[in-house]
Amino acid sequence: MSGRDFTERDIHMALDGELPGEERAAYEAWLNANPEMKARSLRYAADVEALRTAFAGVADEPVPARLTRAVFGEAPARPGRFASRWWLAAAAVLLLAIGGAGGYVAGLSGSGTAEAADDQLAEEAIAAHVVYAAEKRHAVEVPASDRDHMEAWLSKRVGLKLVAPNLTGDGFDLVGGRLLPAGNGSAAMLLYQDDGGDRISLFVTAEPAASGKGVYAHGGDGPRAVYWLGKGYGCAVVGTLPEGRLNAVARSAWQQLLAGVES
Amino acid sequence: MDDRKAAIVGEIPRLRRYARALLRERDAADDLVQDCLERALTRIDNWQTGESPRRWLFTIMHHLFIDRMRKAGRRGEAAMMPLDSGEALAAPAEQFGNAASREIVDALQAISPDRRAALVLVSIEGFSYAEAANMLGVPAGTLMSRIARGREELRALLDDSTRRRNIRVVET
């Protein structure tokens, strides 16, 4: 018998070459005696291999001249030191991760409180808005010109009767819609745009239990989400409009959604 | 001085790979590398010859990455992006060969930056736990739990995407 019990932690250590050599044989024996742990270790090993493969080519790419120049002091002036764009992309991915992984974690922990559902809905809606409203050509999957099909498709996939609100009275025309993952399954995102090019999005998902309403923002000049949960719907309107105008548009969207359900 | 600069240039391919794994998009990753190199040059006197340039540079880059992620996340700065710079976000993962690679690259982007960095340093860059913990400025125990959680989360995301794909096929 070996001197100690092994745990899942040892799977990671073994994979990363951190398991002391003298424990290796006992570890292998433990794996062979625990098929579930063995399967897990094989999956993790395959994931590590896939990660290495995915990035293997990067180190062999020719180095861009601007990076070599940066070291030898011949760097061309860039607009604003450390003001490069990379962190904008990173931040959007972070927001997306909050939506995606957050939903996953909430699902795992069985968190069903209204407050958690609120935050999750708002985070997901903001993340979707940040990513897709910034898209010029690929913002939506189905354009407004195909509205009937879009409503039927999204209703079916989200599992709710979904009527795209008409917001022309508020100055916004429908651009189209797309299907997104959400904590509870799927969500529909409808994108609208005004004459000045400002965009807002309406995020709708099934929310069987929770009810409530509120406003959610990360702060600063970032987008706000005005949301409601009720009647089986979770709904958020996201945009960077002045608060009064966003609230008005959101109210109008919610009323039409509900009217659509009852019609 | 030029020896040091040559040593730094020699690390660029590895720095680019680390940055690409952290950020996925090529231009964004190279911007991060460039920020890192510029910062390193302002501190070149802090770097003792004999010390590994790799660890020194990776540490600098990691701190730049985490600082920006935290600030951006807290302040919601991504939101201020003008509409027409959206192409940076849309960058398809075509740089990453086959579908399996794209899938794992996407999943890697969806886990938290702290876990992502720990996982990449150890799994892709091959640093030991002690080296990675040192670069990230965390105790070894924290590093280990980031790696374990990161791998679990990555696997769950991949399982999830397999499930979604299967569901879609059935419904079509």
Side-chain angles (χ1 to χ4, degrees):
Chain A
M1 289 299 289
S2 72
R4 69 179 182 104
D5 288 333
F6 291 96
T7 67
E8 188 165 354
R9 170 168 277 227
D10 295 294
I11 293 178
H12 298 290
M13 294 186 68
L15 202 51
D16 298 324
E18 298 280 338
L19 200 64
E22 66 271 19
E23 293 186 357
R24 197 82 211 188
Y27 168 76
E28 294 294 342
W30 173 76
L31 270 193
N32 285 327
N34 290 278
E36 195 200 324
M37 286 298 159
K38 181 156 193 174
R40 197 166 298 186
S41 89
L42 292 174
R43 278 200 300 274
Y44 287 149
D47 290 346
V48 166
E49 197 48 46
L51 275 178
R52 284 190 191 137
T53 305
F55 294 101
V58 178
D60 298 328
E61 289 173 8
V63 170
R66 65 165 165 133
L67 297 181
T68 320
R69 280 200 303 269
V71 178
F72 289 110
E74 304 144 29
R78 274 194 300 163
R81 183 168 169 74
F82 294 125
S84 41
R85 280 178 313 131
W86 68 265
W87 59 274
L88 285 173
V93 170
L94 176 67
L95 290 175
L96 197 63
I98 292 168
Y104 162 71
V105 172
L108 265 193
S109 60
S111 146
T113 65
E115 199 174 330
D118 282 10
D119 282 355
Q120 189 184 330
L121 173 73
E123 293 273 11
E124 287 173 345
I126 289 175
H129 182 80
V130 166
V131 172
Y132 291 112
E135 277 294 308
K136 254 167 145 173
R137 287 188 302 163
H138 307 293
V140 298
E141 290 171 305
V142 182
S145 56
D146 216 356
R147 183 184 197 128
D148 290 346
H149 165 68
M150 180 189 79
E151 287 177 341
W153 171 59
L154 290 174
S155 296
K156 185 171 150 213
R157 295 308 306 268
V158 179
L160 290 170
K161 181 166 180 195
L162 185 66
V163 174
N166 181 338
L167 301 177
T168 48
D170 299 284
F172 284 92
D173 292 322
L174 181 67
V175 177
R178 64 162 56 239
L179 183 68
L180 293 171
N184 297 323
S186 307
M189 175 185 171
L190 303 177
L191 191 69
Y192 293 81
Q193 183 168 327
D194 72 5
D195 286 345
D198 270 340
R199 286 174 162 186
I200 57 168
S201 56
L202 171 63
F203 185 91
V204 185
T205 186
E207 189 54 64
S211 66
K213 62 179 180 177
V215 180
Y216 186 100
H218 284 291
D221 295 330
R224 269 191 304 272
V226 181
Y227 63 84
W228 299 264
L229 301 116
K231 306 207 176 205
Y233 285 68
C235 163
V237 173
V238 185
T240 43
L241 303 177
E243 198 162 347
R245 186 158 176 233
L246 188 66
N247 285 341
V249 176
R251 199 155 41 238
S252 153
W254 178 239
Q255 281 163 359
Q256 290 185 53
L257 261 182
L258 285 187
V261 180
E262 283 150 14
S263 68
Chain B
M1 188 63 157
D2 280 349
D3 282 355
R4 293 186 180 189
K5 286 188 174 178
I8 291 173
V9 167
E11 295 300 329
I12 292 178
R14 295 274 302 254
L15 288 169
R16 291 184 75 224
R17 183 170 64 190
Y18 180 42
R20 193 82 62 88
L22 291 176
L23 294 169
R24 180 171 56 185
E25 203 245 325
R26 188 196 315 247
D27 290 342
D30 283 342
D31 283 351
L32 175 60
V33 174
Q34 187 167 346
D35 284 352
C36 168
L37 295 170
E38 288 171 0
R39 164 107 16 133
L41 287 172
T42 66
R43 299 177 173 189
I44 199 161
D45 292 335
N46 296 354
W47 172 42
Q48 313 295 320
T49 24
E51 186 187 356
S52 152
R54 181 166 300 163
R55 271 186 279 170
W56 179 62
L57 289 165
F58 270 69
T59 306
I60 291 174
M61 196 162 79
H62 175 74
H63 287 135
L64 284 170
F65 167 69
I66 288 296
D67 279 359
R68 300 285 168 156
M69 292 299 273
R70 288 201 179 126
K71 278 185 198 143
R74 196 162 54 232
R75 284 151 59 182
E77 279 174 329
M80 289 190 264
M81 184 161 22
L83 286 179
D84 56 3
S85 72
E87 277 71 17
L89 287 178
E94 83 236 339
Q95 310 148 13
F96 300 103
N98 60 34
S101 285
R102 281 196 295 276
E103 198 165 54
I104 202 157
V105 166
D106 287 345
L108 185 64
Q109 294 302 305
I111 71 176
S112 83
D114 284 333
R115 291 177 187 171
R116 194 187 319 155
L119 207 51
V120 170
L121 285 176
V122 170
S123 287
I124 299 176
E125 297 303 331
F127 289 107
S128 71
Y129 284 1
E131 287 170 323
N134 192 266
M135 282 186 266
L136 303 186
V138 298
T142 305
L143 178 88
M144 284 191 67
S145 85
R146 282 182 189 174
I147 287 174
R149 292 290 171 73
R151 282 206 181 110
E152 286 162 22
E153 211 181 330
L154 194 67
R155 180 86 313 259
L157 288 163
L158 292 168
D159 287 344
D160 208 39
S161 91
T162 305
R163 205 171 63 238
R164 280 178 205 283
R165 196 168 53 232
N166 291 341
I167 289 168
R168 194 167 301 151
V169 170
V170 170
E171 283 184 3
T172 302

